[in-house]
Amino acid sequence: MGLFGRFQTQERHGLEIIIVGCGTVGATLVERLSNEGHEITIIDKNRERVNEIANYYDVMGIVGNGARYGILMDAGITHADVLIAVAESDELNLLCCAVAKEVSSCATFARVHTPDYSSEATYFREKLGLTMAINPELSTAKDIARLLYQPNALEVNPFSHGRAEMVKFQVYEGNPLIEKTIAEIGAGISYAFLICVIERNDEVIIPKGDDHIEEGDRVSFVSSKEHVRAFFQHIGFDSRQVADCMIVGGGTSGYFLAKELIEMGIDVRIIEQDAARCEELSMLLPKAIVINGDGTNEEVLHEENIRNIESFIPLTGMDEENILLALHASRVNPDVKVVTKINRVNYRDVIGSMNLGSVIYPRYIITEAILSYVRGLMNSQGSNVETLYHMFNDRVEAVEFTITEESKITEAHLKDLKIKKNVLIATINRKGKIIIPSGRDRIHVGDSVMIVSTNLGYDNINQILA
């Protein structure tokens, strides 16, 4: 066992969090949670990795097996608020959480990859006291499926248990929104929607009524789920979901995605190099076409009709292959909907400049889910964090709060509240009804309220007041 780093000496304002596993997800969690002022202890068997992360982020590091009682005691499990197990082994992660719950009342999170374990998440929550089991492959598949349901979207982020969605899209030449102000766009639409964010070159704008749309903008709007397609139809986009999909890679992510798409009525074709895995997929997914071949081979792709497919998803184990496959698909089939999965986050600006369609980062899917829960543990008065998304390269946050008691935010009409600059109250979910609020609306106890802001780190809705 070894110890590295040190805790901050200033007065503690955050939670005590133990993270088991220092891979890409663990490192991302350390970055995000330490930036929000929490005390972090990391555990991993890899001494060099622990030393690197502990020294860079100035956190406590312990070298050892995170499922061992003695190691967890050394990490301070008895007084920890949260334990997050994101090692590569599902069994190790579940065992970490089980040991932790025997000696602590902390919240526990386990990453699980195996489909069998994911289907038994309810059992683990009940028997092990697990707060949340997170399967990054399953979550990634659901995110991609939402993008194929709305193929004009670059991103689709669900709120209010899926009743509302924030959708990002690109404004191309000839779009009827160009040169229109936000107020003019809203005046021509009968259903409720709200343009929340505009990304223009390197600038991110929380728009007001007199701001206008320009060619090349990336625009995010929020509406109830059933009205998203209506908005795309209004601006001249084909709003139907894709009819078919080619998936390169038949691993766990490919399996989960194919299963989601088949349930949506989308024809699925999977290209997988391993013959034994192809046989397994054919039994698990009898409605999918499974091809045994090298999906990175240009001839194979063209034999399988890549030029006419409506969507293309490279899910190989290598970012470089996924990027090259996405670029090739976009070149030979300009109308194809491409979603590119990338595990590393290096060179995000360069990746953003490529024609990769929608880009999915699985590590952020895990961290967003955990961050929203952690912010909800911060003893916020009057509200609790339900959902959290970082957007536009972490320059914008969309946070959904549940209003739990009367406070300053519930005392007046929205037009009479003094709200900080660059904060937008985007939706109110009142008993399942999605409201795009006007200045005459009020927030009630029991509502779920989503705010969008370039100010980061809100864990209490009253913090948006000036």
Side-chain angles (χ1 to χ4, degrees):
M1 185 184 75
L3 298 177
F4 300 96
R6 66 183 188 279
F7 284 127
Q8 300 286 350
T9 57
Q10 68 265 31
E11 180 183 355
R12 180 169 87 83
H13 297 290
L15 304 176
E16 292 189 24
I17 300 174
I18 299 171
I19 299 174
V20 180
C22 290
T24 55
V25 173
T28 303
L29 283 165
V30 172
E31 177 188 9
R32 290 279 173 88
L33 292 168
S34 60
N35 285 343
E36 298 202 359
H38 302 292
E39 283 186 1
I40 312 295
T41 299
I42 56 174
I43 304 174
D44 197 285
K45 292 180 181 179
N46 187 321
R47 179 179 294 270
E48 290 184 4
R49 187 66 172 153
V50 170
N51 192 10
E52 177 187 358
I53 293 175
N55 288 333
Y56 187 85
Y57 293 105
D58 196 16
V59 299
M60 182 71 78
I62 298 178
V63 178
N65 183 344
R68 282 186 53 201
Y69 170 81
I71 294 290
L72 288 175
M73 293 298 288
D74 289 337
I77 190 62
T78 55
H79 49 80
D81 299 296
V82 180
L83 179 131
I84 306 167
V86 287
E88 286 303 312
S89 166
D90 290 354
E91 291 77 13
L92 175 64
N93 292 335
L94 291 169
L95 183 56
C96 285
C97 294
V99 173
K101 293 303 289 188
E102 286 296 314
V103 295
S104 171
S105 60
C106 66
T108 54
F109 298 82
R111 177 174 69 173
V112 294
H113 297 278
T114 309
D116 290 343
Y117 288 154
S118 295
S119 65
E120 296 173 347
T122 301
Y123 172 84
F124 290 128
R125 285 196 296 270
E126 292 176 354
K127 300 300 181 182
L128 300 183
L130 195 65
T131 304
M132 189 184 296
I134 304 173
N135 187 318
E137 288 81 9
L138 177 58
S139 298
T140 298
K142 290 183 179 297
D143 276 13
I144 295 173
R146 277 190 286 268
L147 289 165
L148 301 191
Y149 181 77
Q150 302 286 358
N152 299 295
L154 295 172
E155 290 181 13
V156 179
N157 294 318
F159 290 87
S160 301
H161 306 288
R163 293 186 179 92
E165 291 180 337
M166 179 178 288
V167 182
K168 183 200 292 187
F169 68 97
Q170 181 100 29
V171 178
Y172 294 105
E173 181 182 359
N175 191 287
L177 298 184
I178 294 172
E179 298 304 326
K180 285 189 176 181
T181 65
I182 303 301
E184 288 171 341
I185 296 168
I189 296 178
S190 59
Y191 48 84
F193 89 106
L194 182 68
I195 292 178
C196 301
V197 190
I198 300 170
E199 183 183 36
R200 182 172 300 149
N201 300 321
D202 292 328
E203 184 182 10
V204 173
I205 304 164
I206 304 295
K208 299 184 289 296
D210 56 355
D211 285 307
H212 66 279
I213 304 295
E214 294 182 4
E215 181 183 335
D217 285 353
R218 292 191 170 195
V219 176
S220 287
F221 72 95
V222 65
S223 185
S224 60
K225 183 177 180 179
E226 62 267 23
H227 288 144
V228 171
R229 281 186 169 176
F231 179 78
F232 278 130
Q233 288 174 342
H234 177 77
I235 60 175
F237 286 175
D238 181 359
S239 62
R240 64 182 178 85
Q241 74 176 25
V242 301
D244 51 19
C245 180
M246 181 183 292
I247 302 171
V248 177
T252 307
S253 294
Y255 162 74
F256 279 126
L257 177 58
K259 191 169 183 290
E260 290 282 328
L261 298 185
I262 289 168
E263 291 175 359
M264 293 167 59
I266 296 173
D267 295 333
V268 174
R269 184 178 299 260
I270 305 172
I271 303 176
E272 166 58 40
Q273 196 164 10
D274 184 88
R277 179 59 174 168
C278 285
E279 290 184 15
E280 186 179 7
L281 288 170
S282 295
M283 290 186 289
L284 291 170
L285 302 166
K287 292 185 178 180
I289 298 173
V290 182
I291 296 99
N292 180 211
D294 181 1
T296 64
N297 186 307
E298 211 173 315
E299 291 184 9
V300 172
L301 293 175
H302 286 274
E303 285 175 5
E304 297 306 324
N305 204 22
I306 190 174
R307 291 184 184 274
N308 296 304
I309 205 82
E310 290 196 3
S311 62
F312 179 81
I313 317 295
L315 293 175
T316 76
M318 295 181 62
D319 289 349
E320 294 82 0
E321 285 186 351
N322 290 340
I323 289 170
L324 289 173
L325 284 168
L327 291 172
H328 177 69
S330 297
R331 184 179 65 82
V332 300
N333 183 356
D335 296 326
V336 71
K337 172 65 179 180
V338 177
V339 183
T340 311
K341 186 189 83 165
I342 298 178
N343 290 308
R344 293 189 301 245
V345 294
N346 314 69
Y347 312 112
R348 286 180 71 183
D349 291 340
V350 175
I351 289 170
S353 67
M354 295 180 177
N355 185 22
L356 300 178
S358 299
V359 179
I360 296 281
Y361 294 93
R363 66 163 70 182
Y364 288 134
I365 296 172
I366 298 176
T367 56
E368 307 282 62
I370 294 174
L371 273 174
S372 62
Y373 190 92
V374 168
R375 286 199 193 172
L377 292 175
M378 293 297 292
N379 298 317
S380 297
Q381 295 183 349
S383 64
N384 193 24
V385 175
E386 286 291 318
T387 314
L388 168 68
Y389 292 104
H390 289 85
M391 302 176 296
F392 297 98
N393 286 344
D394 299 337
R395 291 180 291 173
V396 176
E397 275 187 357
V399 190
E400 184 178 13
F401 297 94
T402 296
I403 310 305
T404 57
E405 62 185 49
E406 298 285 349
S407 66
K408 291 181 179 179
I409 205 78
T410 64
E411 292 175 357
H413 294 98
L414 297 186
K415 64 182 176 61
D416 297 322
L417 294 175
K418 293 183 178 179
I419 296 175
K420 290 177 181 175
K421 187 179 179 181
N422 293 325
V423 175
L424 191 64
I425 297 176
T427 66
I428 299 173
N429 176 11
R430 181 166 298 151
K431 297 179 180 180
K433 180 183 178 182
I434 302 302
I435 302 167
I436 305 297
S438 69
R440 298 183 299 276
D441 285 299
R442 295 180 65 157
I443 294 171
H444 299 165
V445 174
D447 289 348
S448 293
V449 180
M450 192 255 282
I451 65 108
V452 180
S453 179
T454 54
N455 309 324
L456 310 182
Y458 291 126
D459 57 55
N460 179 344
I461 195 169
N462 289 287
Q463 292 169 344
I464 72 172
L465 299 177

